[in-house]
Amino acid sequence: MAVSWVERVASFLRSPSRFLASTTSEVFLVELLREQRDERVTYDVKLTMLSPLCEHPTLLCPSACTGEETCLELMSVFSHCPPKYTEFRCQLLLTLTTVLVSTGCVSAHSHASRDFLELLLKLAQDTYYDPADLPSAPRSTRAAACECLRELEACCPGLLSQHLELLNGLRQQENPRHHQALSGLYAVVLRNGVHLLARQAGAGPEGLKALLGGNAAVAWEAEPESPAQMDRVAPLPSVLGPSGLGPTLQTGPDCKELRSVLSSLLEESYLLTPLSQAALLHALTEVVAMVSGVSPAIFKAQLLRLLGTSKVCLFHCTLLMKAAFTDSLFSAEDEAFLLKRLVALCQHPQMSPAAQLFYTDCLVHFPENRPIGAADGGEALPVLFTRRLAACLVPTVFDEPATMLARLNVSALVHLEEHGAREEEGGGAAGGGLAYLWDHLLLRLLHVVEHGGDRAGVVTFFRASFLFLCHFGHVARYAADLRRRLCALYLRHSRLAPHVLNLADRAQDGAVRPGWAVALLRSLQGAAVSAGVDPGAVSQEDLRWHLRVLARVAEEGQIGQGGTVDFLFAVATSASPASRNEDWRLGSDLLAVCRHLLAHPGLDALLCPLADVLQHVARHHGDTDVRDHARLYYSLLTTLSREKLAGVLANGGGGANGGRQDNKRALSAMVVESQDLTSALTIHKARAPVFHLVAKDRAGGWAESTPAPEDDDEAAAAAGTDPGAAGADVLSSYRSQLLSSASAAEISLAYELRHLDAAGPAGFDRLFSLRLHFEPSAGRFAAPADVCVPRLFREGASAPPPAVTLTLRPRAPYPGTLRCSAVFTAQDELTWHAALPDVRVAFRQLFKPLPVPASWGPALRLRAFEGLWDEFCDGGDGEGGGRTDASPDRASSLFCGRLGEAELEALLEEHFAPFRVADPGDATGHRVLLFLPPRSHVLLRIRPQEDAVQFHVATDNWRLLPHVNDFLLSITDWEARNGVDS
């Protein structure tokens, strides 16, 4: 069993959806909780079984009610777990926290959350001996309780704000093992409490004193219905972000208690790990930023340690302090030292590439005491960052690609102003920083690419080129030289066309000086046309890249396309090699250029040569699809006016995006957006469901029985298994015909298609040619075939609601849901797509009578019932002589309900009439046999007693018992019988 559960948990974690296709989340959750309560299961296995709840809490607990019930069960498990199993107890606390937070149960109305908080607070105060306090123990229950409290406080701010005095006392206790956890918890609670207090109107020093001295159990017990509690449903925003100032608490100079607490926390912060120190300092920085009565100088004693740290998290916290307090805490000398320290860390060999990137990014977003650059959060170097400091960060080709690009960005920012000054003086930048970046970085990267550099080198070169253009695209000499070198690179390596075109697209988005991208595309056009003067001498791969480049060039309206059309004609009429004339990909690339030319503003000048190209392709190309498209393009070109052709091609995006086309998928590559024609060819999406499926009375109760084939008896007799013969094995005969009958595994559900309301959206009163599509959720059913309905008129019309029969093949005998959608034609002759309300297949809708031929009389059915009953209850020793090995899935159960004799007869007639098995010799009991596709059975012996009715249940699938129990509850309870189906 232990190995089985480990494998099941591993299977669930690999693919939850595939795992739940064979069961339900409710059944799996019940099994997990049952095994957690089983004392025979080892705690190592129980620890593994907590993983599904930790990883997928909302999948197993989809509602707050389920989450609360699960937490109550897990707390019961925790209370019975011996203290020596520390690892399991810690993981159980984390699992409880995860389920509570994920399912939204952390509220004043949740008994589970209240009990759990009381448990956590009790554990946090527990100073007795803990086996995990040994140095060799990895965790302790008390530390885990503090972590869970901090997580709950972070997700529900202010939850423990009335308990600060107790937490402060626990923090000051002598046990150093839990000092870090308690300090982090106290800092988070203090920060959230001050933040919520600062948001209250009229809050002052009295409120702060009450907050620091609060000693209620939890916040909601002190203020169960306060407005502040209603806002505590999400983490509070940081007050140190780029948005500006947060709420401020006006307390005046009377903040002795708060200053004392802050000083104590800061003095002991060196005992914590770097990550815990950073979290503590971040929380305290926010507290000081919100309380005006506390001076930032309280951090002064910590600056010496922080300025010399090599930990990324602590350095980041130092920069946050500087951004929050500027010259209130950092002097000019501190700022200069911090900047030099930052430059040193950017190039330190012991730093990882990721850390160097972080420090380099901090340079261009350095929080100055008195910034004079851009204050909108953009990139700008600090004033104190001189050329001497920048010389340490000069990029080289030997750097990591990301590091080199970051340093290139910094160097470009340094030399940008310098080059502007030199340019105004009338000189070049020879020997300057810009020339160095061009000669020693960009050209060397280009040299690597030209001589067969790998993909990383190619990407780095084009990214460096883009950065260079962003900063120095206005320098005509370098911009023209880069454009010329890129064209030469493309001619030598046409496979780099996607990179060159992507650079042009990004440059055209506005980051580079306008006009450079168009000039690059014009140069690429000339290069491609000149290379294709003799198409036979160009390889097929290069020719395809040339066509793709020309297709992108054709999107620009300000570039003439005469050379492009000549190139297309040469390619189309080229006779060698012959295989090109049958290449679909090459033909499609050529037609893509033609399509863009049809939308070009200069089409009038290209009309005749472009028509010659299309006509030649339509007549002589070897691929039928290419010929058909060319014929369509030729027809559009020669029959439509300039305005109509532009309207047909408008969806391709001629001028909406700077001459570039947006890649949009349409029903036709050509015929789009011609108003009426577009509407007719487009499937419109309805904003809300228009109609739904309504179950008929019988389908809402049970599945329609599928008649068995009439020749089953003849086949059974031919095989020597006639069930009516003397001594025949009824169960063997039944199982043999069950395997041969395909209809036994199907259920047919009857519905009516109706509009959702009497006065719905206009235009949907009369619908035609409806096609319903069903998609099973969680893989419970095989995908059913689409259902076609000729028409649907709103209620009140002469035509009755159309009937829909849905045939399903269950893969497992459990209820499920079908997602439903429909495509239909409305009365305005437009095609619409609408999502329909989900179709829920209830458990009772899976019931079918025993799938046996109609010739089986009551006696044979009774024998089959008794044989199955003996087999399910006694492990196969029944009179039917079934399988001798007892299957572990077989189970029996007992259900009792209070019903009178008349009520019982009515219940049997209403719910079990098609499934009853008559027994003339037993007048005191009733037999019901339910078959659930694909191959499961539920047998009921119903016996009235003096004060109750006993439902004895036997089944070959014990996982059905929870569903059977719910079903029996719903039909025996008056309220459930008059409510919603189970």
Side-chain angles (χ1 to χ4, degrees):
M1 179 62 73
V3 177
S4 174
W5 266 108
V6 171
E7 294 176 351
R8 291 188 69 189
V9 170
S11 176
F12 174 84
L13 295 178
R14 280 195 301 269
S15 177
S17 59
R18 181 179 301 175
F19 180 86
L20 294 178
S22 60
T23 182
T24 65
S25 58
E26 296 85 356
V27 172
F28 185 52
L29 179 61
V30 169
E31 295 172 359
L32 283 175
L33 297 177
R34 185 184 64 235
E35 294 298 321
Q36 289 289 341
R37 294 190 298 268
D38 193 345
E39 297 180 355
R40 296 170 297 179
V41 181
T42 63
Y43 281 93
D44 290 338
V45 176
K46 289 184 178 181
L47 182 64
T48 303
M49 291 166 60
L50 292 177
S51 300
L53 284 170
C54 286
E55 299 294 334
H56 303 279
T58 55
L59 190 61
L60 298 180
C61 305
S63 64
C65 180
T66 307
E68 184 172 2
E69 294 175 356
T70 302
C71 290
L72 291 174
E73 290 285 345
L74 293 178
M75 279 189 284
S76 175
V77 173
F78 184 89
S79 63
H80 291 86
C81 178
K84 64 179 180 180
Y85 298 106
T86 306
E87 188 68 20
F88 174 74
R89 286 162 62 89
C90 294
Q91 188 64 29
L92 188 55
L93 291 177
L94 295 178
T95 303
L96 278 162
T97 306
T98 302
V99 174
L100 277 174
V101 173
S102 301
T103 57
C105 293
V106 187
S107 68
H109 305 289
S110 171
H111 294 289
S113 58
R114 297 168 71 94
D115 295 344
F116 184 55
L117 278 174
E118 292 177 2
L119 173 64
L120 292 178
L121 290 170
K122 180 180 178 181
L123 293 173
Q125 300 174 65
D126 188 6
T127 58
Y128 292 101
Y129 171 74
D130 189 342
D133 283 337
L134 298 175
S136 60
R139 309 173 68 182
S140 74
T141 307
R142 191 178 180 192
C146 294
E147 294 174 6
C148 294
L149 285 171
R150 184 171 60 178
E151 186 68 23
L152 290 174
E153 172 65 27
C155 296
C156 188
L159 189 64
L160 301 172
S161 60
Q162 300 299 323
H163 216 73
L164 279 172
E165 184 178 8
L166 173 62
L167 296 177
N168 192 29
L170 294 175
R171 181 183 63 85
Q172 296 174 357
Q173 290 177 357
E174 68 281 358
N175 191 343
R177 183 174 178 84
H178 306 125
H179 178 78
Q180 176 169 290
L182 287 167
S183 296
L185 171 62
Y186 184 83
V188 172
V189 176
L190 178 62
R191 180 260 182 193
N192 289 343
V194 172
H195 196 146
L196 292 173
L197 184 63
R199 291 166 58 179
Q200 297 179 11
E206 294 79 10
L208 183 59
K209 290 180 180 179
L211 176 67
L212 295 175
N215 199 15
V218 288
W220 58 51
E221 292 184 8
E223 306 172 48
E225 299 296 338
S226 63
Q229 176 61 32
M230 301 306 162
D231 297 334
R232 297 169 190 165
V233 295
L236 294 173
S238 175
V239 300
L240 304 179
S243 57
L245 298 177
T248 303
L249 182 62
Q250 301 295 336
T251 61
D254 189 15
C255 293
K256 295 181 181 179
E257 295 85 353
L258 181 59
R259 279 196 292 268
S260 175
V261 169
L262 295 177
S263 299
S264 175
L265 288 169
L266 291 173
E267 289 172 0
E268 300 168 354
S269 62
Y270 74 94
L271 298 173
L272 311 182
T273 62
L275 285 175
S276 298
Q277 287 186 57
L280 177 69
L281 291 172
H282 187 277
L284 299 186
T285 302
E286 292 193 75
V287 172
V288 175
M290 289 185 289
V291 181
S292 60
V294 180
S295 171
I298 197 171
F299 294 103
K300 200 70 177 178
Q302 309 297 322
L303 279 187
L304 182 61
R305 179 167 57 89
L306 293 176
L307 290 176
T309 184
S310 61
K311 302 296 183 181
V312 174
C313 55
L314 291 178
F315 200 92
H316 180 247
C317 193
T318 306
L319 293 176
L320 287 177
M321 286 186 185
K322 192 174 188 311
F325 305 126
T326 61
D327 55 359
S328 299
L329 180 60
F330 292 82
S331 63
E333 292 77 10
D334 294 335
E335 184 177 52
F337 177 82
L338 188 60
L339 193 59
K340 292 179 181 178
R341 177 75 175 162
L342 198 56
V343 173
L345 292 173
C346 288
Q347 55 180 331
H348 200 284
Q350 293 297 324
M351 291 295 160
S352 65
Q356 291 182 0
L357 286 177
F358 167 75
Y359 291 127
T360 307
D361 187 70
C362 290
L363 273 178
V364 297
H365 298 94
F366 187 78
E368 296 182 86
N369 286 348
R370 306 222 186 279
I372 61 175
D376 56 354
E379 293 182 345
L381 290 174
V383 177
L384 296 178
F385 189 73
T386 60
R387 286 196 61 196
R388 178 173 298 178
L389 289 176
C392 304
L393 300 178
V394 173
T396 66
V397 292
F398 302 105
D399 295 331
E400 290 285 336
T403 303
M404 180 184 63
L405 293 174
R407 292 185 176 184
L408 172 61
N409 187 40
V410 173
S411 299
L413 290 173
V414 171
H415 299 303
L416 187 60
E417 182 178 353
E418 170 201 348
H419 174 76
R422 294 192 178 191
E423 199 174 42
E424 289 178 0
E425 294 174 0
L434 179 55
Y436 176 85
L437 295 178
W438 173 260
D439 294 330
H440 293 81
L441 183 66
L442 222 61
L443 293 187
R444 291 186 180 181
L445 288 174
L446 177 61
H447 179 78
V448 172
V449 174
E450 288 177 340
H451 291 79
D454 57 3
R455 184 180 183 277
V458 172
V459 172
T460 302
F461 165 70
F462 281 97
R463 288 180 175 176
S465 301
F466 177 72
L467 277 176
F468 189 87
L469 287 171
C470 289
H471 294 291
F472 304 109
H474 60 282
V475 184
R477 181 163 66 93
Y478 291 112
D481 196 5
L482 179 60
R483 185 170 60 247
R484 178 181 58 81
R485 292 179 183 273
L486 286 174
C487 289
L489 177 65
Y490 165 71
L491 285 177
R492 285 192 293 271
H493 304 283
S494 61
R495 61 182 176 82
L496 299 179
H499 297 279
V500 180
L501 295 180
N502 183 59
L503 177 62
D505 292 341
R506 301 289 76 76
Q508 200 172 36
D509 288 339
V512 182
R513 187 174 183 177
W516 185 88
V518 175
L520 174 63
L521 292 174
R522 185 179 286 109
S523 301
L524 289 174
Q525 180 194 32
V529 170
S530 61
V533 173
D534 183 9
V538 182
S539 67
Q540 188 161 339
E541 182 180 1
D542 290 346
L543 191 58
R544 291 187 59 204
W545 286 122
H546 291 333
L547 289 173
R548 293 182 185 183
V549 169
L550 293 177
R552 173 63 184 90
V553 173
E555 298 179 21
E556 301 299 328
Q558 58 268 50
I559 300 179
Q561 302 297 325
T564 299
V565 177
D566 295 340
F567 177 83
L568 294 179
F569 187 79
V571 172
T573 57
S574 176
S576 62
S579 60
R580 287 185 182 176
N581 194 42
E582 300 177 355
D583 189 351
W584 176 86
R585 293 183 299 175
L586 186 63
S588 297
D589 291 337
L590 188 146
L591 291 179
V593 183
C594 296
R595 184 192 187 283
H596 292 303
L597 291 176
L598 290 177
H600 195 272
L603 180 61
D604 293 341
L606 309 172
L607 185 61
C608 292
L610 183 57
D612 293 340
V613 172
L614 292 173
Q615 191 174 31
H616 189 278
V617 174
R619 289 180 177 179
H620 301 97
H621 200 276
D623 187 84
T624 304
D625 183 66
V626 174
R627 292 199 306 271
D628 291 343
H629 277 79
R631 192 174 298 111
L632 172 62
Y633 294 175
Y634 180 82
S635 300
L636 293 174
L637 177 65
T638 56
T639 57
L640 294 183
S641 65
R642 184 76 177 83
E643 293 76 12
K644 290 184 178 181
L645 183 60
V648 169
L649 301 172
N651 194 46
N657 193 17
R660 292 168 51 195
Q661 293 187 5
D662 299 328
N663 294 325
K664 295 183 179 180
R665 186 178 298 274
L667 293 178
S668 171
M670 281 301 305
V671 186
V672 287
E673 286 272 347
S674 63
Q675 296 184 2
D676 294 341
L677 185 58
T678 300
S679 298
L681 295 179
T682 301
I683 297 181
H684 304 269
K685 187 173 182 62
R687 296 183 178 179
V690 180
F691 48 87
H692 63 149
L693 289 169
V694 180
K696 292 185 177 180
D697 293 339
R698 182 176 177 84
W702 54 76
E704 298 286 349
S705 60
T706 305
E710 296 181 357
D711 57 346
D712 277 354
D713 282 337
E714 299 177 2
T721 59
D722 184 6
D729 190 344
V730 176
L731 292 186
S732 298
S733 176
Y734 164 64
R735 289 198 174 96
S736 63
Q737 70 87 23
L738 180 62
L739 292 174
S740 62
S741 176
S743 61
E746 296 180 348
I747 60 173
S748 298
L749 306 179
Y751 295 90
E752 287 184 350
L753 200 60
R754 296 178 180 271
H755 283 82
L756 271 173
D757 49 15
F764 296 109
D765 293 339
R766 302 170 67 86
L767 308 178
F768 305 91
S769 301
L770 300 92
R771 188 178 187 87
L772 307 180
H773 177 72
F774 301 92
E775 184 178 349
S777 62
R780 297 286 171 79
F781 307 97
D786 292 352
V787 178
C788 297
V789 179
R791 59 184 176 273
L792 172 63
F793 298 158
R794 189 173 294 278
E795 296 180 8
S798 57
V804 175
T805 301
L806 184 58
T807 302
L808 298 178
R809 295 184 64 89
R811 292 174 175 171
Y814 309 117
T817 303
L818 299 174
R819 291 186 291 270
C820 184
S821 60
V823 176
F824 56 89
T825 301
Q827 57 198 50
D828 55 2
E829 299 184 359
L830 298 181
T831 303
W832 292 82
H833 175 273
L836 275 61
D838 292 345
V839 177
R840 183 172 177 268
V841 181
F843 182 60
R844 65 178 58 190
Q845 291 180 270
L846 301 175
F847 298 170
K848 294 185 64 175
L850 192 68
V852 295
S855 60
W856 279 41
L860 288 179
R861 296 173 188 268
L862 179 59
R863 288 175 57 187
F865 179 93
E866 296 297 343
L868 290 173
W869 182 274
D870 293 340
E871 180 179 296
F872 295 166
C873 295
D874 301 329
D877 297 328
E879 64 179 299
R883 294 175 297 174
T884 59
D885 56 326
S887 171
D889 289 339
R890 299 171 185 168
S892 59
S893 180
L894 175 63
F895 178 89
C896 297
R898 290 189 175 183
L899 293 172
E901 182 177 351
E903 291 178 319
L904 177 60
E905 289 297 333
L907 181 145
L908 292 172
E909 183 63 27
E910 179 182 358
H911 297 285
F912 297 122
F915 319 113
R916 296 180 64 176
V917 178
D919 183 7
D922 188 359
T924 61
H926 306 275
R927 291 169 174 80
V928 175
L929 198 160
L930 305 174
F931 175 76
L932 287 81
R935 292 180 184 177
S936 297
H937 304 77
V938 174
L939 282 65
L940 302 175
R941 285 183 184 268
I942 307 173
R943 294 176 178 174
Q945 301 295 329
E946 294 182 359
D947 56 347
V949 175
Q950 294 182 351
F951 292 79
H952 297 268
V953 184
T955 179
D956 52 358
N957 186 350
W958 64 268
R959 299 175 184 84
L960 293 175
L961 291 179
H963 300 287
V964 174
N965 183 71
D966 293 341
F967 170 67
L968 294 178
L969 278 175
S970 68
I971 64 175
T972 56
D973 183 73
W974 187 88
E975 293 182 358
R977 277 183 283 153
N978 292 273
V980 183
D981 290 343
S982 62

